[in-house]
Amino acid sequence: MNTKELTAFVAEAAGKFAEEAGCLIWDVKFVKEAGEWVLRVLIDTEPMGGVTIEMCEAVNRALDAFLDEADPIDQSYCLEVSSPGINRELYRDSDFEKFAGEEVDIKLYKPDTDGKKSYTAVLLSHTADALELEVNGEVRSVARAAIAQCRVHFDF
């Protein structure tokens, strides 16, 4: 099973456990970090931000038991279930639709024409290829392929 198939399989299974715990699946990632494989399941609530430790624990326990039985992952890994946080990463069309009109923090792979690799902007809209952003009162179209990361902005 490749990574895309694995994350889809886990998302489907985790969705049932999340629903039982009173939440929903925001994202599933299977990544290698510091030489270790991590299966990261991010849960959220509707409205956003109501994830509790008890929800994380319930989804973790149920999903862990399910994965032990199904055994879809060949190598050893660490299962993490958590909230995506208040400054969650946005990358799907549904994310951009949900957060249109909100401030986002953008990090680019290469500096833009102003020489900046990161800035805060208002997310106006999106297409399959670009994000329409308002940066310091100026509307810009930034290619999605140029964006290394887009997160919901939060002032700490």
Side-chain angles (χ1 to χ4, degrees), residues 91-94 96-97 123-133 141-145 147:
Y91 45 88
R92 298 173 295 228
D93 288 341
S94 60
F96 298 127
E97 290 162 13
L123 174 60
L124 300 175
S125 63
H126 74 284
T127 65
D129 299 323
L131 298 184
E132 191 87 4
L133 304 167
S141 181
V142 179
R144 283 170 78 162
I147 299 173

Side-chain angles (χ1 to χ4, degrees), residues 14-35:
K16 299 169 195 168
F17 306 130
E19 187 177 328
E20 290 170 7
C23 53
L24 52 91
I25 300 299
W26 172 263
D27 197 12
V28 175
K29 293 183 179 183
F30 189 56
V31 294
K32 196 166 193 176
E33 295 178 350

Side-chain angles (χ1 to χ4, degrees), residues 54-127:
E54 291 78 15
M55 289 173 177
C56 293
E57 182 180 12
V59 174
N60 189 303
R61 286 180 192 240
L63 184 57
D64 189 42
F66 171 82
L67 292 172
D68 280 350
E69 181 71 27
D71 199 22
I73 304 172
D74 294 333
Q75 65 269 29
S76 64
Y77 64 95
C78 177
L79 174 62
E80 289 181 7
V81 177
S82 66
S83 161
I86 52 178
N87 65 336
R88 64 194 63 212
E89 189 171 358
L90 310 177
Y91 45 88
R92 298 173 295 228
D93 288 341
S94 60
D95 300 342
F96 298 127
E97 290 162 13
K98 187 171 191 168
F99 290 94
E102 302 289 328
E103 283 191 321
V104 293
D105 294 323
I106 301 291
K107 289 185 182 179
L108 303 172
Y109 288 110
K110 297 179 183 175
D112 63 10
T113 55
D114 296 333
K116 291 186 171 185
K117 280 187 72 175
S118 63
Y119 49 86
T120 299
V122 175
L123 174 60
L124 300 175
S125 63
H126 74 284
T127 65

